[in-house]
Amino acid sequence: MILPIPAIDIIDGKCVRLTKGDYATEKVYNEEPVEVAKYFADLGFPRLHLVDLDGAKTHHIVNHRALERIATQTNLIIDFGGGIKSEEDLTKAFDFGAEMVTIGSLAAKEPTKIEKWGRKYGTQRFIIGADAQDERICTNGWLEQSDLMLTDFIAHYMQKDFKQILCTDISHDGTLAGPSTTLYRKVMTAFPNCELIASGGISCLDDFVALEEAGVPAVVFGKAIYEGCIDMQVLSKKYFQ
């Protein structure tokens, strides 16, 4: 059964969403991310994907206090991403309550560093962010498209025992146009042991069913929550009750 993971993106301590990663499209949905997190926890969702968008932009963790408040005031298992570029940032994320961290650009640019961290802290505490446009890995807030092909990138980390891969099809992110199911099915066919987390485009309950039928183990979703496209109580009853 697929695991739905709600997302909270933070700018200036507020819960926001972007479209295709463009900061110019910022829309504030709630002034208090911890209240949103409590809502998810009360509905029975076990996991939270928390993104520090200020951190992603400035290349160091900024919203660690929001992480701390959510971690101390809910029982959610938090994976945290955005701005983790150094071991100091990494330990700060863990110290302030993240069970796992999501690493994107750094995983593409400095794989040796990520592999070293995996050996030290355990690969199970890392989610490798595979953000792709036209199946090529993008970095630096999705502004730069690299020469790395998505499947080659995933293969490298799978060989190093990093099994959790968060794959975002950038062209679908924040669009509410449906997920890139064909792409995710391709990934699962190539890497059946991958603990894939799909991301981008979720718009309705049927999208979860389609991803589950494609063999995807988990999915992150955000904008569909805040725009009222998904009945969260119905979703919770389907998967957690």
Side-chain angles (χ1 to χ4, degrees):
M1 184 174 288
I2 196 168
L3 173 66
I5 305 172
I8 294 177
D9 292 355
I10 298 178
I11 292 179
D12 294 331
K14 302 171 184 177
C15 178
V16 307
R17 295 302 293 178
L18 308 180
T19 300
K20 298 183 181 180
D22 184 355
Y23 284 78
T25 65
E26 174 190 334
K27 183 176 181 180
V28 176
Y29 286 95
N30 197 298
E31 299 280 340
E32 295 293 340
V34 69
E35 297 304 321
V36 180
K38 286 179 178 179
Y39 168 69
F40 297 149
D42 289 345
L43 284 175
F45 289 85
R47 286 269 300 270
L48 175 68
H49 179 60
L50 184 63
V51 182
D52 180 356
L53 288 175
D54 291 312
K57 201 171 186 178
T58 60
H59 306 298
H60 64 86
I61 290 178
V62 175
N63 289 291
H64 55 280
R65 292 299 178 186
L67 165 63
E68 181 182 41
R69 288 195 296 273
I70 292 171
T72 55
Q73 296 183 45
T74 75
N75 60 356
L76 292 165
I77 298 169
I78 303 169
D79 77 74
F80 179 85
I84 299 174
K85 303 297 183 184
S86 66
E87 191 163 0
E88 180 182 359
D89 288 320
L90 178 66
T91 56
K92 181 181 284 189
F94 289 147
D95 289 346
F96 281 88
E99 181 66 26
M100 293 164 280
V101 292
T102 299
I103 308 287
S105 295
L106 199 65
K109 294 183 174 183
E110 299 187 48
T112 302
K113 178 182 285 189
I114 306 307
E115 292 158 24
K116 179 181 178 182
W117 289 352
R119 291 191 294 271
K120 182 174 182 179
Y121 297 95
T123 55
Q124 75 279 1
R125 300 200 74 181
F126 293 85
I127 300 170
I128 302 301
D131 305 322
Q133 182 85 42
D134 300 323
E135 299 193 34
R136 289 187 181 274
I137 296 295
C138 294
T139 60
N140 287 347
W142 302 349
L143 297 175
E144 298 178 9
Q145 189 176 53
S146 74
D147 292 329
L148 281 170
M149 297 303 297
L150 175 63
T151 51
D152 294 337
F153 180 73
I154 294 174
H156 172 83
Y157 279 100
M158 290 289 292
Q159 289 168 3
K160 301 295 182 179
D161 201 36
F162 291 85
K163 294 182 179 179
Q164 295 189 87
I165 307 292
L166 174 63
C167 184
T168 302
D169 185 335
I170 296 168
S171 66
H172 288 243
D173 183 70
T175 64
L176 300 176
S180 189
T181 307
T182 300
L183 175 63
Y184 303 134
R185 182 182 288 109
K186 179 179 178 179
V187 171
M188 290 309 303
T189 299
F191 309 101
N193 295 322
C194 179
E195 297 175 15
L196 180 67
I197 305 169
S199 175
I202 291 291
S203 63
C204 63
L205 293 171
D206 287 345
D207 290 336
F208 295 92
V209 175
L211 289 171
E212 187 171 3
E213 290 175 349
V216 176
V219 55
V220 161
F221 65 111
K223 195 168 189 176
I225 302 169
Y226 306 111
E227 291 290 338
C229 302
I230 290 177
D231 188 322
M232 293 292 281
Q233 291 188 340
V234 171
L235 184 65
S236 173
K237 286 179 181 178
K238 179 175 177 62
Y239 290 103
F240 303 122
Q241 297 176 22

